[in-house]
Amino acid sequence: MVNKTIKKGERGINYLKTIVDQYECFFHKIDQENDVGLDGFIEFTKNGDETGKIVAIQVKNGSSYNTAETCKFPIDGHERYWSKCVVPVYGIVMNEDDNKDISSAYWVDIKSYLKENSEKNMIIYPKALCNKLTRGEFENFFCEIILNGCPCVDEETLLSLLNSKINLDVEYAIKAIDFHNIRNPVLTRKLILIISSTSNRSVIHDILNCLISFSDNEIEKNNLLPMLNISHVLEYVGEEDYSLLCPFFIKDINSISYILNNIISVSNLEHRFQLEEIMGDVICKQHNRFYNEENYWKNVLLVLSNGLAVEACMLTISTLFSNPDSSISKSTSSKLRNEVRIRTKKVIPKILNSILDEVVKTSEDLGRGTLSQAVESIISSIDDKEQMLMDFIYNVNNEKESRVIAAYYFAYYFPEKFIDSGSFSAFLEDERIEILKECIVIDGEILLY
């Protein structure tokens, strides 16, 4: 009596062998009596040359292995054997029409599946565009994925993959765009839209990795930032991927104001904090690239005037105040440098509280630290700094520690007036004020650093 199951399996193997032979690769069938979970091996060639790439194959054929949207087959105790196999192992599920011709075939990477689904006793995977196995798809999809990790397809097909609702299609499309260095505005916009809507963390990771490899003006040229829903990305991005956001943002000079607008509109405090950290990194890293651009400095001052990313803003702005012979300062046009200085002097008095609060947080001791030096270099250029510091010190709404720091700067700039003013000690009630006075009496001045 004919075993219909065996016959179905043979028709599936013959279908696969026909495709493999057509593309001058080699199919090595395993005799049924030696079959312990594998039906054969495929040896791949490329343009007629051996590649040394071999994969093991398990074939299943029949309607019982298929649903409308998925393929499935039992593991049947082969998990250990497949996992320990020295070559990649792929499963191929086929289905037949009424004439017993193969009507569909879809593949799955069995080893990867088992790694991610170790508790399953059945392999179930989607019927996607990228894992379809026909004469047309074998070369550009299956072979290229085995050899290069991604398909080799035209841009129209890539867009179809990106529009797919199946994550596997999207993941392979991203890999293809990255691997083949495809730079198409339509595809790039689609990538931005995907990370602005997907909850798949690995997809977001892969897209960010892909985007940071784009040329420096690619993001800016195609006006991609307004399309990015940064709040959504922060909701689903992995903590280890925050570092990928900064390289993406530094490519566009407008990103600082874009992040600022998001900070102002975001209600989630954790996301606001994350965005402020990212913005601080962007400000520092864009400095070397955009220091001669007026828009860059406008954005930095706008951020500072909102009391955000204070340390990054002050350290950046101080390069135009502290050392006129530095390479950045010398390279920045004198007109732009003067404009930034004028604007900075208007901003500093308004947000001195935020600035000195940040000095308190980052300094190990009174007046110490890089930020403290940056603040001093900027305050020193303000004409009415005496009144500004006095107003701040006597404003009880300001944090006491920040007021003490302000007194320290006052003592540095105006040592004689600091000694003559007896109200500082009584008003601030801090022993450090007396120590400062003693230093001035003994040395005639105090040293900030």
Side-chain angles (χ1 to χ4, degrees):
M1 185 176 177
V2 176
N3 188 317
K4 292 183 179 180
T5 302
I6 292 176
K7 285 296 181 182
K8 272 187 181 180
E10 288 177 352
R11 288 195 294 271
I13 290 171
N14 289 336
Y15 171 82
L16 178 60
K17 186 178 187 307
T18 301
I19 295 176
V20 172
D21 289 345
Q22 179 182 338
Y23 289 99
E24 299 182 345
C25 296
F26 303 101
F27 183 80
H28 305 286
K29 182 182 176 183
I30 296 175
D31 292 334
Q32 190 178 345
E33 58 268 24
N34 298 321
D35 177 357
V36 288
L38 297 175
D39 292 305
F41 295 88
I42 298 177
E43 189 177 346
F44 292 88
T45 63
K46 180 81 170 177
N47 300 323
D49 296 326
E50 298 86 352
T51 64
K53 282 276 189 178
I54 298 174
V55 299
I57 298 293
Q58 169 76 69
V59 176
K60 296 292 182 183
N61 180 24
S63 58
S64 62
Y65 303 114
N66 286 270
T67 68
E69 296 180 347
T70 63
C71 297
K72 60 180 181 178
F73 59 93
I75 293 174
D76 282 343
H78 296 309
E79 180 180 2
R80 181 178 173 82
Y81 177 58
W82 288 335
S83 298
K84 288 190 171 294
C85 194
V86 295
V87 296
V89 181
Y90 283 79
I92 302 174
V93 169
M94 304 176 187
N95 207 358
E96 296 180 334
D97 58 22
D98 294 338
N99 296 319
K100 297 182 180 178
D101 293 324
I102 300 299
S103 58
S104 69
Y106 294 87
W107 56 263
V108 63
D109 181 340
I110 289 179
K111 279 187 168 183
S112 295
Y113 186 93
L114 293 176
K115 262 186 195 175
E116 297 171 8
N117 304 275
S118 57
E119 302 301 317
K120 300 282 181 71
N121 56 15
M122 180 81 73
I123 291 178
I124 304 174
Y125 61 97
K127 291 180 176 179
L129 297 172
C130 65
N131 70 338
K132 195 174 183 180
L133 190 62
T134 65
R135 286 174 173 82
E137 278 90 10
F138 179 80
E139 183 176 29
N140 290 331
F141 278 88
F142 191 59
C143 288
E144 289 294 326
I145 287 171
I146 297 297
L147 296 175
N148 297 317
C150 64
C152 181
V153 291
D154 58 32
E155 292 177 2
E156 184 179 347
T157 305
L158 281 174
L159 191 57
S160 296
L161 291 172
L162 290 174
N163 283 322
S164 171
K165 294 180 180 179
I166 300 173
N167 284 331
L168 189 68
D169 286 332
V170 177
E171 288 168 6
Y172 276 121
I174 296 164
K175 289 175 182 177
I177 291 169
D178 198 22
F179 182 83
H180 297 292
N181 200 33
I182 299 168
R183 298 296 177 259
N184 176 310
V186 175
L187 293 175
T188 308
R189 288 191 183 95
K190 186 63 185 177
L191 292 177
I192 299 290
L193 290 174
I194 290 171
I195 61 173
S196 296
S197 59
T198 183
S199 57
N200 187 307
R201 185 170 289 183
S202 66
V203 167
I204 294 175
H205 172 88
D206 288 345
I207 290 179
L208 287 174
N209 253 329
C210 180
L211 290 172
I212 64 176
S213 68
F214 283 23
S215 62
D216 281 352
N217 67 342
E218 196 76 29
I219 307 298
E220 185 176 346
K221 182 176 66 179
N222 292 307
N223 195 28
L224 297 177
L225 272 181
M227 299 176 62
L228 179 66
N229 185 339
I230 185 62
S231 298
H232 177 87
V233 174
L234 289 174
E235 187 73 36
Y236 292 101
V237 73
E239 190 172 337
E240 68 280 4
D241 293 330
Y242 290 141
S243 59
L244 297 177
L245 286 167
C246 185
F248 169 71
F249 283 127
I250 62 175
K251 296 176 184 295
D252 190 338
I253 195 171
N254 300 309
S255 61
I256 296 175
S257 59
Y258 167 78
I259 300 172
L260 176 62
N261 289 334
N262 273 275
I263 291 176
I264 293 170
S265 62
V266 166
S267 57
N268 185 308
L269 291 178
E270 184 180 354
H271 289 174
R272 286 173 66 95
F273 175 75
Q274 291 163 348
L275 281 171
E276 187 174 359
E277 281 198 327
I278 291 168
M279 185 164 62
D281 284 344
V282 172
I283 287 170
C284 291
K285 289 175 181 174
Q286 279 191 344
H287 185 216
N288 287 334
R289 183 178 171 204
F290 295 125
Y291 60 81
N292 224 357
E293 298 283 342
E294 183 178 3
N295 275 349
Y296 169 74
W297 293 108
K298 279 183 178 178
N299 288 333
V300 171
L301 286 166
L302 184 61
V303 171
L304 185 62
S305 65
N306 280 274
L308 297 168
V310 171
E311 183 174 6
C313 292
M314 296 302 291
L315 292 174
T316 301
I317 293 171
S318 68
T319 61
L320 301 181
F321 283 84
S322 56
N323 185 2
D325 295 324
S326 69
S327 59
I328 294 289
S329 186
K330 288 170 73 175
S331 301
T332 309
S333 71
S334 58
K335 180 183 177 183
L336 177 57
R337 198 161 57 241
N338 288 333
E339 286 179 2
V340 175
R341 285 175 172 171
I342 291 168
R343 292 175 192 164
T344 303
K345 291 174 185 179
K346 292 178 181 178
V347 169
I348 296 299
K350 295 178 183 176
I351 61 158
L352 188 61
N353 194 15
S354 297
I355 294 169
L356 295 184
D357 280 351
E358 198 66 28
V359 172
V360 170
K361 283 190 281 184
T362 57
S363 299
E364 293 180 2
D365 197 3
L366 194 63
R368 298 284 177 185
T370 306
L371 177 59
S372 183
Q373 296 176 45
V375 172
E376 185 278 319
S377 69
I378 296 172
I379 290 179
S380 65
S381 68
I382 295 177
D383 297 331
D384 57 347
K385 55 182 168 287
E386 178 181 354
Q387 190 60 49
M388 179 187 75
L389 292 171
M390 288 280 286
D391 291 343
F392 185 87
I393 292 166
Y394 287 113
N395 187 341
V396 293
N397 292 319
N398 297 325
E399 293 289 334
K400 181 185 176 183
E401 194 64 22
S402 298
R403 288 156 57 210
V404 171
I405 292 287
Y408 196 94
Y409 285 122
F410 189 95
Y412 173 72
Y413 293 118
F414 312 105
E416 292 181 2
K417 291 183 179 180
F418 186 80
I419 291 177
D420 292 340
S421 175
S423 61
F424 282 148
S425 299
F427 192 75
L428 291 173
E429 296 180 343
D430 192 292
E431 62 181 9
R432 287 171 291 182
I433 301 301
E434 293 304 317
I435 294 173
L436 286 174
K437 286 184 176 181
E438 289 175 13
C439 290
I440 295 171
V441 169
I442 295 171
D443 301 322
E445 61 179 356
I446 64 167
L447 300 175
L448 280 176
Y449 320 113

